[in-house]
Amino acid sequence: MGTYYLPRNVKGEGRILFIFTTKSLIYSVIGAVIGLPFYFILSATGTTIGGIVAVAIFAAIGFVIGTLKMPELGKFEFAKKTGGENIDDIIKRAIIFKSKGKKVYIYKEEEKND
């Protein structure tokens, strides 16, 4: 009797606590760190619950940026061009585009006519 390869689903093996991938966990922590000043400000004014909610909201925003992809919407021009790409990649490209003075460089190879 021969041996056969059985394919298995390995998609979820890189996940932590079933919902976090490594990238989404990092983005969630970054979002929570950004929310910490709001926690300290709100807890100094006596609304500790509001500070915890602020940290949770920023952590959720970080999770969304690290996990989701841009939907393909036909109504909007930017969604047509970026549909299906990760949101964090789109944000990184936008920051690089703004920092380079809103210029796009295209390198074109010259054709050789023999």
Side-chain angles (χ1 to χ4, degrees):
M1 190 148 83
T3 58
Y4 298 99
Y5 172 73
L6 293 175
R8 62 186 182 117
N9 186 5
V10 294
K11 182 178 181 184
E13 290 183 358
R15 295 189 176 264
I16 303 164
L17 300 175
F18 296 111
I19 61 168
F20 290 107
T21 61
T22 305
K23 184 169 82 169
S24 67
L25 181 65
I26 291 169
Y27 278 100
S28 297
V29 169
I30 290 170
V33 167
I34 292 172
L36 279 177
F38 293 101
Y39 169 75
F40 291 126
I41 291 169
L42 291 173
S43 64
T45 61
T47 55
T48 307
I49 300 296
I52 293 171
V53 169
V55 170
I57 288 172
F58 279 100
I61 290 170
F63 177 76
V64 167
I65 289 172
T67 304
L68 297 181
K69 295 181 182 251
M70 186 71 172
E72 294 182 21
L73 302 173
K75 292 183 178 182
F76 303 108
E77 186 66 28
F78 68 90
K80 287 181 187 177
K81 296 177 182 176
T82 60
E85 296 183 32
N86 291 331
I87 295 176
D88 64 329
D89 292 334
I90 296 168
I91 293 171
K92 288 176 195 173
R93 275 199 322 255
I95 291 170
I96 291 170
F97 180 71
K98 297 268 185 183
S99 68
K100 299 228 181 211
K102 298 182 181 180
K103 295 180 182 177
V104 177
Y105 296 100
I106 300 174
Y107 298 101
K108 181 179 175 184
E109 293 183 19
E110 294 184 23
E111 296 178 11
K112 294 182 181 180
N113 294 329
D114 290 329

